[in-house]
Amino acid sequence: MDQILPLADSVLGQSTIALIVSAYSHERCFMCINGAVPCEACSEEDAETRSQCPHCNSTGMVPCEFCDGTGWVGNDVIPRELHRAVWRSRLKHTHHSLEKYAAVYTHEKIEALSRQPAGNKQRCKAIMSTNRLAAKLHALARSCAVGDPEHIRHLNAAERKVRNCLTVLSGK
């Protein structure tokens, strides 16, 4: 058994553990699509009723309860020995996603989208992206990847800012 990973490393030309960690950190929740499931409150309704749904902000989708809206597979699927490494990988990817989000969804862009009709595709896409990013930040702040209280405060502050964007986008 001690020879399997070094042999795999030499065959692949890279760290097998790193590949396994990357695979688990990108593994998607089995119950949803990108952290969301159809809204039960309005999925059977007509377009007019759906455009006023307070449960999903007229997107037709709500955060998945199984993954808490992150879109990530749960810890029960990840080998215990890899939890910290997988969550650190998720942390790295989420920091990158947060930077991309901030570049795309400027204050002006969010304000403009908030003025679009409730069912507008760009507005719905922004709401869905914002929901998922907030869920990821929330999960990361409570994960085994972050132990430094200052880093936890940073993640919580980022989550609050993202949730403020959601409030603006939702028109609430």
Side-chain angles (χ1 to χ4, degrees), residues 4-18:
I4 292 175
L5 289 178
L7 180 60
D9 289 352
S10 68
V11 170
L12 294 172
Q14 55 187 308
S15 169
T16 305
I17 292 294

Side-chain angles (χ1 to χ4, degrees), residues 31-33 36-43 56 59-64 128:
M31 303 301 287
C32 67
I33 299 170
V37 295
C39 177
E40 290 182 13
C42 73
S43 62
C56 67
T59 63
M61 304 291 279
V62 294
C64 172
M128 299 297 296

Side-chain angles (χ1 to χ4, degrees), residues 78-147:
I78 304 165
R80 186 178 255 354
E81 303 84 20
L82 299 179
H83 279 192
R84 184 177 300 274
V86 168
W87 279 95
R88 284 186 178 160
S89 179
R90 289 174 172 176
L91 179 65
K92 178 182 163 191
H93 294 297
T94 302
H95 276 286
H96 180 68
S97 295
L98 184 59
E99 290 172 359
K100 284 176 52 177
Y101 180 90
V104 171
Y105 294 110
T106 62
H107 177 72
E108 293 79 17
K109 176 84 172 189
I110 289 174
E111 287 290 332
L113 287 171
S114 72
R115 291 188 295 272
Q116 294 298 314
N120 176 275
K121 286 185 182 187
Q122 289 181 332
R123 183 178 179 183
C124 289
K125 180 181 175 185
I127 289 171
M128 299 297 296
S129 296
T130 305
N131 265 331
R132 186 167 185 209
L133 182 56
K136 287 180 175 185
L137 291 165
H138 183 81
L140 285 163
R142 284 136 192 86
S143 74
C144 59
V146 184

